[in-house]
Amino acid sequence: MPAPLPVVRTVAELRAQVAAWRSSGERIGLVPTMGALHEGHLSLVELARGQAARVIASVFVNPTQFGPNEDFDAYPRGEARDAALLAGAGCDLLYAPTADEMYPQGFATTINISGVSEPLDGAARPGHFAGVATVVTKLLTQTAPDVAVFGEKDYQQLLVIRRLARDLDLPVEIVGAPTARAPDGLALSSRNAYLSAAAREVAPALHAALRDAVARLAEGKTVEQVELTGRAALERAGFGPIDYFEVRNAETLRRFEGARPDGPVRLLAAARLGRTRLIDNIAG
Ligand code: AMP
């Protein structure tokens, strides 16, 4: 059994611990999460451990990135389980601030990022990326890590965070981690806990449709054909509504102007299965 994980809940305690490690010359890694941890999160901790002597994980279910009709109240929470998993993965510290610590009375700042945060989830979830960008900026300035690790599972979020770190001159290296999947291809996600047994059987169709789309692009099908076929496959499998199933430029998330991609490709999809919204993406 690993030793229980130290937990800090205030910016002051966090900074004191980081300062102590820094004074010994240690590099610091940060893995921000919303808890309800799974192997995907733990793979981020492992990646961070390869790049920093000390790894801090944050668990904060950030209210400002949930829309009014989204699952903030229902979002799974369980700090004791999360702390045990993090300790087992070799994490050194859990930062679990309260909402009041993050957003004290009078809090009035929002980080808005244009361009890369606008399409896809930005269109489907108004305000979501402003909430993400604001909380991640705070986590990065509170912790001041050398490196911070984010999953490609949330590919658009990763690009948004790279953009904000560059634009705000944050002295941190943003590292993207590959998506951890169940053996049947379903991307691991805290929200998979919402899936009924029947929906769980259907859910891998999302990844399968994305893989199929990559193959069709390679065969020379047009972007439009590939997107239509992908949406139809999801509808047949029982998904709906489908927020998007799109072929985009992997760096800018812009659409390609011609019928076929002429730059790096990322395929991204988001769709509802029952009451659960699933997202996934793969390289083209
Ligand atoms: P969340 O707790 O869902 O906000 O996710 C916290 C971090 O874990 C984000 O950087 C996510 O992209 C990442 N993450 C979530 N699921 C996975 C996964 N299946 N594989 C890799 N990273 C993931």
Side-chain angles (χ1 to χ4, degrees):
M1 279 277 285
L5 189 65
V7 183
V8 291
R9 302 194 187 279
T10 65
V11 179
E13 291 170 293
L14 173 68
R15 288 201 165 130
Q17 180 60 82
V18 168
W21 285 331
R22 276 216 186 290
S23 68
S24 325
E26 292 178 315
R27 263 170 72 83
I28 313 284
L30 176 67
V31 178
T33 82
M34 296 204 302
L37 300 182
H38 50 65
E39 283 297 324
H41 297 112
L42 302 181
S43 74
L44 270 50
V45 171
E46 197 159 309
L47 214 165
R49 261 160 47 92
Q51 309 218 0
R54 298 290 182 176
V55 175
I56 301 169
S58 62
V59 171
F60 181 62
V61 185
N62 175 36
T64 68
Q65 71 189 68
F66 288 79
N69 299 317
E70 293 186 358
D71 56 342
F72 175 70
D73 290 328
Y75 199 83
R77 292 163 170 87
E79 186 177 297
R81 177 182 170 278
D82 288 344
L85 287 172
L86 289 168
C91 178
D92 296 285
L93 182 71
L94 170 58
Y95 175 43
T98 61
D100 285 344
E101 181 73 4
M102 273 303 204
Y103 302 115
Q105 194 71 37
F107 188 88
T109 298
T110 302
I111 307 281
N112 275 300
I113 290 151
S114 52
V116 75
S117 77
E118 289 172 20
L120 306 170
D121 264 16
R125 304 182 67 189
H128 170 67
F129 283 121
V132 168
T134 304
V135 81
V136 169
T137 302
K138 285 176 66 72
L139 289 166
L140 291 174
T141 55
Q142 290 169 347
T143 312
D146 299 283
V147 53
V149 183
F150 296 86
E152 287 182 355
K153 157 83 187 351
D154 301 284
Y155 187 79
Q156 187 174 13
Q157 168 175 284
L158 174 61
L159 294 191
V160 166
I161 291 163
R162 284 195 199 285
R163 184 78 260 158
L164 83 83
R166 244 180 259 143
D167 290 355
L168 299 177
D169 305 305
L170 300 181
V172 59
E173 186 190 343
I174 305 296
V175 171
T179 301
R181 299 181 180 280
D184 60 13
L186 177 66
L188 301 183
S189 165
S190 307
R191 289 190 168 99
N192 293 350
Y194 301 151
L195 295 169
S196 67
R200 176 64 188 79
E201 296 269 303
V202 170
L206 182 58
H207 180 237
L210 287 166
R211 287 183 53 139
D212 190 50
V214 172
R216 279 170 195 277
L217 275 181
E219 284 165 10
K221 297 276 190 313
T222 66
V223 166
E224 196 187 347
Q225 286 170 327
V226 166
E227 291 178 347
L228 284 172
T229 309
R231 293 180 76 98
L234 291 186
E235 273 161 13
R236 264 199 316 280
F239 283 82
I242 296 160
D243 283 346
Y244 55 83
F245 188 103
E246 297 197 13
V247 179
R248 295 260 174 167
N249 182 297
E251 286 159 12
T252 61
L253 292 187
R254 290 201 198 105
R255 286 184 191 287
F256 293 106
E257 283 177 12
R260 292 191 178 74
D262 58 356
V265 172
R266 200 84 191 178
L267 293 99
L268 307 99
R272 224 162 260 281
L273 185 57
R275 288 201 319 267
T276 311
R277 183 175 186 272
L278 297 178
I279 63 170
D280 202 352
N281 68 87
I282 54 176

